[in-house]
């Protein structure tokens, strides 16, 4: 793992209408690492991802990707700067079939997954490529949502609750996929409620509470932190 | 050789052909509307104007550049499409975050300006575009003779519809379009420039309209108003087909054209209303339209607040008192008939605002109640000889009954659908008024005697008439005010804020909406009935959909959802109209421009902005402390 800084978030505030949701978030992600944002419901984890992308538009502070400030860029240019975003609700389009869903996002960088690589990672998608997008099971939808972003060739992923509502066996499948992406050099920011999942893939953790980052630690320090985490997060 | 119903076969097929030709245009235009609506959630009221622009483009290209038909067929859509792209960026894009009704209102304003400009430049006589030489002949099909150009129109429309379908279903652009229709933000988060796709979509829609215009140029007169009444029929077609369904738009387009043709053969009197009747039937059976997805709870409008609601304020009472004094004194200073006109329209606008401002339902068909009542009052007084107050009651009662029928159909949908349905229903009533024997058709009912109030007081004297009208206005205005402030009114406002929540609280919202609709229709009828006595006439102008547009403008300009807004708006629009009539510029251009300005930057309207300014001091932090201090000192005394 290099120490090269990929993403830097400084004093990020974000609003939903008039109500402040992020109260000055600071964190950074190095190239090649998997960082997990953990915290209770409503702590601002998903909002942080949305604010980085610019889906939540009303924000202040600095978000720098490889030194380029993303605040102020239109949403599609944020994506073009090299970020892949997988939303919590997966966002599979019902009027498109599986194959169209997969092919929808445009190529952004070279080295994106080929169809063959995608089908190797998620064999289910090959079988179901002609089904309507929303006819898939929750797990298949999640695989499709991740797979279509891999096609774009971005090296930096924002994953919002990829295991939400999935059966344990599917959680393992997603976990295996995330680990293999990690191995291939992908940088990942993972928002996760399922702490057992996050601890198996993350290199570092940031703990969020009330729209702020309140703590951070590396995976190695996890065991000594468990007590504290039990208390603050009721894990 | 005769058909079973003794109709010559030639005539039968002839009508069917005309139906098919009309159907081709319905299909093309509703297709464009559906494409635009699907992506932008905008009902493009300017579609008819863009169709007209296409035809004019062809005609101008021929006249000034001697460009032939094929060049026009290529260039006109490009030019109009480019214009559309510009319009989308400048006017429509800033409105996307607001209620979709604003898009409808904006494009309505734009259509007024475009049509007004072309009327100003080219008059309404209509120009003729020569038939392209290739298509000048006809071909004998055995059972009928088919003029070649008409055959070409049918073939071309089928080709264009298929090409559009292929573009949407079979290309990458189409996939973006379909995906962005579902979730534009997510598509943009993939790196797709969605704003540009929206711009292109509008341009394609506008281009399709222009293409239809060029196709129409050799068979219909090229006239600035050629798209306008067609538009309303196309709205009905779109409602029948199912909003947002491409297939529905095309199938319904052809089918209704044919149906119209058949009606011309078997029952010509109904041919202009058959589409609207069909729409009413479809709404009863399948509110989502034939091909529409069932949307039990349409996402739009129900969740948006059309405007900020401005309630009764402390200064409202003195303002009202001053208003009444001014009204009492007005005829001594201003030409009374002008004030009476303002009062009639103010009442009309107040009625409209009851529905739009407080229930959030934009009716684009209130002219039917206004004009309908006007006819009934004029007829009962002139032909049946009843006294004016009975005539007015009859008019208002008629409007209420009509309101029950229209409301029952229209409240099945919300937001823009509601607007389109009311528009189509009102247009049906318009055609009824054109044909019904008692309305006097194009001439209307003229020279209505004002008569004696209660058989005693002659209304021919200016002052007695004025105070009579003023009394009616005040009655109507206070009635609206009472409704808004009643528990019933609170439930209406709750429905407007969040219909689902109102339902979950156990309210039968449909009953409340229907109730509000009927009251609004009744008061609008009262206004129209009074106008019939003031102007001693009832004409088609009062039932035309331009009248519905005018009352929207008044309310928008004055301030939606404010009590005094409709009055201020009506006064201003009436004054403007009498001023504009002396200018060389046609009124629609001015009105359309005001529409655009209001929608873009002045959405609170005059009264809305004024009360926002007057409200400012209460936000001064010192007041709160002062108030808290007062409460505290009171407390210690007790």
């Amino acid at each position: 793992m290099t120490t090269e800084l990929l993403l830097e978030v400084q004093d990020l505030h974000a609003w939903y209408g008039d109500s402040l949701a992020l109260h000055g978030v600071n964190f950074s992600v190095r190239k090649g690492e998997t960082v997990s944002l953990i915290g209770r419901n409503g702590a601002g984890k998903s909002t942080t991802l949305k604010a980085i992308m610019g889906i939540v538009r009303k924000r202040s502070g600095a978000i720098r990707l490889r030194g380029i400030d993303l605040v102020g860029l239109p949403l599609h240019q944020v994506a073009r700067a090299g970020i892949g975003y997988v939303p919590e609700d997966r966002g599979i389009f019902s009027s498109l079939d599986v194959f169209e869903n997969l092919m929808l996002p445009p190529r952004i960088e070279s080295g994106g997954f080929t169809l063959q690589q995608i089908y190797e990672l998620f064999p289910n998608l090959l079988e179901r490529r002609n089904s309507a997008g929303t006819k898939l099971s929750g797990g298949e939808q999640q695989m499709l949502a991740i797979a279509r972003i891999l096609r774009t060739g971005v090296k930096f992923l924002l994953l919002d609750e990829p295991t939400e509502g999935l059966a344990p066996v599917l959680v393992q499948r997603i976990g295996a996929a995330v680990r293999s992406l990690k191995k291939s050099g992908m940088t990942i920011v993972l928002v996760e409620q399922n702490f057992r999942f996050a601890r198996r893939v993350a290199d570092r953790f940031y703990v969020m509470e009330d729209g702020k980052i309140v703590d951070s630690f590396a995976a190695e320090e996890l065991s000594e932190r468990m007590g504290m985490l039990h208390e603050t997060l009721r894990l | 050789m005769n058909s079973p119903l003794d109709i010559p076969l030639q005539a039968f097929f002839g009508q069917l052909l005309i139906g098919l030709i009309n159907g081709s245009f319905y299909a093309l235009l509703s297709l464009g509307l559906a494409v635009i609506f699907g992506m932008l959630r905008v009902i493009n009221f300017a579609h008819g104007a863009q169709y007209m622009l296409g035809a004019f483009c062809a005609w101008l290209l021929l006249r000034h550049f001697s460009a032939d038909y094929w060049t026009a067929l290529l260039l006109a859509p490009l030019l109009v499409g480019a214009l559309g792209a510009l319009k989308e960026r400048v006017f429509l894009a800033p409105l996307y975050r607001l209620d979709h009704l604003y898009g409808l209102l904006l494009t309505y304003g734009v259509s007024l300006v475009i049509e007004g400009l072309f009327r100003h430049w080219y008059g309404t006589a209509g120009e003729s575009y020569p038939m392209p030489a290739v298509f000048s002949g006809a071909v004998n099909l055995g059972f009928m003779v088919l003029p070649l150009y008409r055959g070409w129109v049918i073939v071309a429309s089928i080709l264009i519809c298929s090409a559009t379908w292929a573009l949407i279903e079979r290309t990458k652009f189409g996939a973006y379009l379909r995906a962005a229709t579902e979730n534009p933000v997510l598509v943009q988060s993939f790196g797709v420039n969605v704003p540009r796709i929206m711009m292109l979509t509008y341009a394609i829609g506008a281009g399709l309209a222009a293409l239809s215009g060029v196709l129409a140029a050799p068979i219909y007169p090229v006239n600035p108003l050629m798209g306008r009444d067609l538009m309303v029929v196309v709205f009905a077609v779109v409602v029948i087909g199912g909003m947002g369904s491409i297939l529905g738009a095309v199938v319904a387009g052809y089918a209704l054209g044919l149906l119209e043709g058949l009606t011309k053969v078997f029952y010509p009197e109904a041919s202009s209303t058959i589409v609207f009747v069909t729409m009413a039937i479809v709404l009863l059976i399948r509110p989502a339209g034939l091909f529409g997805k069932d949307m039990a709870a349409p996402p739009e409008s129900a969740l948006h607040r059309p405007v900020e609601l401005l309630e009764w304020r402390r200064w409202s009472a003195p303002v009202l008192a001053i208003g009444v004094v001014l009204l009492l004194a007005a005829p001594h200073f201003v030409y009374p008939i002008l004030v009476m006109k303002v009062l009639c329209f103010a009442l009309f606008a107040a009625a409209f605002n009851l529905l739009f401002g407080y229930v959030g339902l934009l009716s684009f068909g209130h002219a039917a109640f206004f004009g309908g009542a006007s006819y009934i009052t004029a007829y009962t007084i002139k032909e049946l000889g009843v006294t004016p107050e009975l005539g007015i009651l009859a008019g208002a009662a008629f409007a209420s009954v009509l309101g029950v029928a229209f409301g029952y159909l229209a409240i099945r949908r919300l937001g823009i659908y509601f607007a389109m349905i009311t528009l189509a229903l009102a247009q049906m009533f318009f055609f009824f008024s054109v044909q019904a024997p008692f309305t006097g058709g194009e001439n209307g009912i003229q020279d209505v005697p004002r008569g004696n109030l209660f058989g005693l007081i002659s209304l021919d004297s200016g002052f007695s008439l004025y105070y009579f009208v003023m009394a009616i206005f005040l009655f109507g205005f206070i009635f609206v005010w009472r409704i808004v402030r009643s528990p019933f009114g609170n439930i209406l406002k709750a429905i407007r804020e969040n219909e689902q929540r109102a339902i979950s609280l156990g309210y039968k919202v449909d009953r409340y909406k229907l109730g509000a609709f009927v009251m609004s229709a009744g008061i609008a009828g009262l206004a129209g009935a009074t106008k019939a006595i003031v102007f001693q006439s009832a004409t088609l102008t009062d039932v035309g959909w331009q009248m519905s547009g005018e009352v929207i403008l008044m309310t928008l300009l004055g301030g939606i959802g404010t009590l005094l807004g409709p009055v201020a708006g009506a006064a201003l629009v009436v004054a403007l109209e009498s001023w504009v009539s002396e200018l060389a510029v046609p009124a629609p251009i001015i009105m359309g421009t005001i529409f655009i300005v209001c929608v873009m930057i002045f959405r609170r309207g005059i009264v809305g902005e004024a009360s926002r300014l007057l409200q400012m001091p209460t936000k001064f932090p010192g007041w709160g402390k002062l108030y808290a201090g007062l409460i505290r000192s009171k407390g210690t005394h007790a």
Side-chain angles (χ1 to χ4, degrees):
Chain A
M1 196 190 304
T2 60
T3 51
E4 188 189 331
L5 217 51
L6 184 71
L7 178 80
E8 221 184 332
V9 176
Q10 278 172 353
D11 197 28
L12 180 62
H13 289 69
W15 288 261
Y16 286 111
D18 287 333
S19 58
L20 188 60
L22 297 183
H23 301 251
V25 170
N26 293 288
F27 76 103
S28 57
V29 181
R30 288 189 289 267
K31 199 173 167 207
E33 70 177 345
T34 297
V35 165
S36 181
L37 301 181
I38 53 178
R40 283 187 220 168
N41 256 340
K45 306 181 300 289
S46 293
T47 306
T48 304
L49 297 193
K50 285 182 187 156
I52 291 171
M53 281 309 285
I55 290 170
V56 175
R57 299 251 17 122
K58 205 170 166 189
R59 64 228 149 107
S60 73
I63 305 163
R64 275 187 288 271
L65 182 74
R66 299 185 194 93
I68 308 162
D69 196 349
L70 301 180
V71 180
L73 285 189
L75 176 55
H76 58 276
Q77 283 180 21
V78 173
R80 294 261 169 199
I83 307 183
Y85 169 69
V86 182
E88 187 176 358
D89 61 6
R90 289 139 203 179
I92 303 304
F93 299 102
S94 60
S95 53
L96 276 63
D97 63 25
V98 169
F99 187 71
E100 283 178 312
N101 263 292
L102 191 57
M103 300 304 280
L104 189 75
R107 293 253 173 195
I108 287 172
E109 289 171 31
S110 60
F113 278 44
T114 62
L115 280 176
Q116 202 182 349
Q117 284 172 304
I118 284 173
Y119 291 144
E120 263 166 38
L121 196 61
F122 303 117
N124 296 38
L125 297 182
L126 179 63
E127 289 162 35
R128 315 244 7 209
R129 65 182 178 278
N130 292 324
S131 318
T134 41
K135 291 267 161 65
L136 296 182
S137 72
E140 287 169 331
Q141 289 196 16
Q142 188 62 57
M143 293 173 198
L144 179 55
I146 296 175
R148 68 179 170 191
I149 290 298
L150 298 181
R151 262 198 76 256
T152 63
V154 292
K155 309 291 186 293
F156 180 37
L157 292 185
L158 306 180
L159 298 182
D160 198 351
E161 307 250 6
T163 67
E164 192 190 22
L166 299 188
V169 61
L170 289 167
V171 172
Q172 282 184 6
R173 293 274 298 280
I174 300 284
V178 171
R179 275 194 298 272
S180 97
L181 292 176
K182 216 177 127 176
K183 235 176 258 165
S184 71
M186 194 76 80
T187 312
I188 299 170
V189 175
L190 174 73
V191 162
E192 220 8 288
Q193 290 275 352
N194 182 343
F195 184 67
R196 280 196 295 178
F197 176 80
R199 66 185 293 181
R200 269 182 280 151
V201 293
D203 303 311
R204 283 195 305 128
F205 296 87
Y206 284 101
V207 183
M208 287 195 77
E209 216 168 277
D210 298 330
K212 277 196 287 258
I213 302 256
V214 292
D215 197 6
S216 72
F217 54 88
E220 303 82 65
E221 304 165 54
L222 190 59
S223 48
E224 58 202 72
R225 296 287 182 135
M226 282 314 283
M228 181 273 295
L229 287 175
H230 271 294
E231 210 167 282
T232 55
L233 305 178
R234 297 194 195 128
L235 289 168
Chain B
M1 190 168 87
N2 281 350
S3 71
L5 282 159
D6 259 3
I7 290 155
L9 214 50
Q10 276 285 340
F12 176 77
F13 282 116
Q15 287 299 344
L16 223 50
L17 176 66
I18 292 175
L20 198 57
I21 298 276
N22 285 338
S24 301
F25 288 108
Y26 295 162
L28 282 174
L29 289 174
S30 52
L31 173 69
L33 274 182
V35 168
I36 292 175
F37 177 79
M39 182 72 218
L40 280 63
R41 302 283 142 180
V42 167
I43 295 289
N44 186 29
F45 220 114
H47 217 64
Q50 279 154 344
Y51 161 82
M52 177 274 286
L53 276 181
F56 259 94
C57 251
W59 181 74
L60 290 169
L61 281 169
L62 179 71
R63 200 172 80 161
H64 295 295
F65 302 99
S66 320
D68 67 358
Y69 175 78
W70 302 103
T71 318
L73 209 52
L74 190 72
L75 270 184
L78 287 178
L79 287 170
V80 177
L83 217 65
L86 187 71
K87 177 178 135 195
E88 193 274 342
R89 278 297 91 189
V90 177
F91 295 118
L92 286 173
L95 298 177
Y96 292 147
R97 63 194 167 81
L98 303 172
D99 193 286
H100 302 315
L101 287 171
Y102 285 113
L104 173 77
L105 294 177
L106 178 98
T107 51
Y108 175 66
V110 169
S111 72
L112 284 182
V113 172
I114 297 177
E115 281 169 357
L117 281 175
F118 275 75
R119 258 165 93 173
H120 185 51
W121 291 331
Y122 301 103
T124 50
E127 311 285 348
S128 68
Y129 188 87
M131 185 73 65
V134 205
F135 295 123
S136 55
V139 55
N140 195 337
L141 298 177
F143 55 92
M144 68 175 294
V145 176
L146 174 69
L148 275 177
Y149 188 79
R150 288 172 192 256
W152 157 245
V153 167
I154 296 167
V155 171
S157 75
I158 293 172
L159 283 179
I160 295 165
C161 289
S162 317
T164 311
W165 179 84
L167 173 75
I168 290 166
E169 293 295 329
R170 291 281 176 268
T171 66
K172 187 83 191 183
F173 178 81
Y176 286 151
L177 217 137
R178 275 176 291 146
T181 300
E182 280 183 51
N183 190 344
V185 172
L186 185 62
V187 174
Q188 200 175 355
S189 84
F190 292 155
V192 179
N193 191 342
V194 172
R196 195 166 64 199
I197 289 190
M198 294 179 120
M199 183 183 81
L200 281 175
T201 306
Y202 191 80
I204 290 172
L208 272 175
L211 193 60
S212 327
V214 182
L215 279 177
I219 29 180
Y220 300 125
V222 178
N223 179 316
L225 303 181
M226 66 191 285
R228 155 186 198 166
D229 291 331
L230 187 59
M231 210 49 242
V232 186
V233 180
V234 170
F235 276 0
V237 169
V238 164
V239 171
I240 293 168
M243 197 69 235
S245 161
I246 304 277
L247 183 68
V250 173
V251 172
Y254 287 112
L256 286 158
L258 283 174
L259 183 64
E260 221 178 47
L262 283 175
T263 316
K264 269 195 196 118
V265 178
F266 295 110
Y267 188 55
E269 292 79 7
S271 63
S272 53
T273 46
I274 183 72
V275 173
F276 303 110
V277 174
T278 311
M279 182 195 77
I281 295 169
V282 167
L283 279 173
L284 281 173
I285 301 164
R286 258 189 83 90
L290 294 178
F291 292 81
K293 291 189 191 94
D294 196 30
M295 284 184 281
E300 56 272 344
S301 290
L303 304 175
H304 289 271
R305 321 174 77 194
V307 278
E308 271 175 64
L309 195 59
L310 292 151
E311 280 304 326
W312 186 258
R313 307 231 177 269
R314 247 160 301 163
W315 47 265
S316 300
V319 166
L320 268 191
I322 294 168
V324 172
V325 171
L326 280 178
L327 274 185
L328 285 168
H332 299 278
F333 302 101
V334 194
Y335 191 43
I337 204 125
L338 196 67
V339 186
M340 288 190 278
K341 188 176 178 189
V342 168
L343 290 179
C344 290
F345 278 108
L347 189 57
F348 184 23
F352 168 80
N353 186 43
L354 172 64
L355 198 59
F356 185 29
Y358 296 99
V359 200
L361 295 173
L362 170 64
S363 160
F364 225 111
H366 256 46
F369 311 123
F370 185 75
S374 177
Y375 274 129
I376 296 298
T377 304
Y379 183 79
T380 48
I381 292 175
K382 188 177 175 188
E383 305 297 333
L384 307 181
V386 304
T387 51
E389 73 283 354
L390 286 179
I392 288 178
L393 275 181
F398 172 77
S400 308
V401 172
L402 197 63
V404 173
F406 282 16
Y408 181 71
L409 288 169
I411 58 167
R412 290 160 178 261
R413 304 305 302 272
L414 284 173
I416 32 191
Y417 304 94
F418 180 88
M420 291 169 71
I421 291 162
T422 45
L423 174 62
L425 289 171
Q427 189 70 356
M428 181 165 80
F429 185 75
F430 174 83
F431 283 121
F432 167 76
S433 305
V434 172
Q435 288 173 351
F438 78 93
T439 59
E442 298 283 337
N443 300 323
I445 306 175
Q446 301 291 343
D447 302 320
V448 178
R450 282 175 179 152
N452 298 326
L453 187 59
F454 307 116
L456 299 170
I457 311 156
S458 166
L459 290 179
D460 279 321
S461 115
F463 279 103
S464 60
L465 179 66
Y466 176 82
Y467 289 114
F468 175 56
V469 171
M470 191 188 104
I472 291 177
F473 166 77
L474 285 177
F475 164 77
F477 186 78
I478 290 168
F479 179 79
V480 170
W481 176 61
R482 276 304 305 151
I483 300 270
V484 169
R485 285 171 60 80
S486 68
F488 177 81
N490 284 337
I491 295 163
L492 293 183
K493 283 174 256 177
I495 293 171
R496 198 196 66 152
E497 299 282 304
N498 192 332
E499 182 164 340
Q500 296 307 316
R501 201 169 294 163
I503 293 171
S504 75
L505 287 173
Y507 290 113
K508 299 197 163 151
V509 297
D510 280 358
R511 279 192 201 170
Y512 286 90
K513 286 201 268 187
L514 185 60
F517 194 96
V518 173
M519 284 178 204
S520 175
I523 301 287
L526 185 64
T530 312
K531 184 177 173 269
I533 290 186
V534 172
F535 288 91
Q536 300 187 281
S537 67
T539 61
L540 282 176
T541 321
D542 295 338
V543 279
W545 59 266
Q546 288 78 9
M547 183 58 77
S548 300
E550 203 157 305
V551 76
I552 298 174
L553 179 63
M554 288 169 182
T555 312
L556 190 65
L557 183 62
I560 303 163
T562 64
L563 210 55
L564 289 173
V567 182
L572 205 65
V573 169
V574 169
L576 255 174
E577 269 171 356
S578 67
W579 172 66
V580 163
S581 63
E582 291 158 28
L583 297 178
V585 191
I589 301 181
I590 309 273
M591 297 301 150
T593 311
I594 298 174
F595 237 107
I596 296 171
V597 171
C598 280
V599 170
M600 296 304 297
I601 53 176
F602 198 62
R603 284 184 285 271
R604 284 194 187 89
I606 297 166
V607 173
E609 288 292 345
S611 72
R612 196 172 65 100
L613 290 176
L614 285 169
Q615 209 187 331
M616 286 299 194
T618 58
K619 288 199 173 150
F620 175 66
W623 289 107
K625 272 181 207 155
L626 194 70
Y627 188 66
L630 277 172
I631 301 278
R632 214 173 301 128
S633 66
K634 242 183 176 174
T636 49
H637 279 292

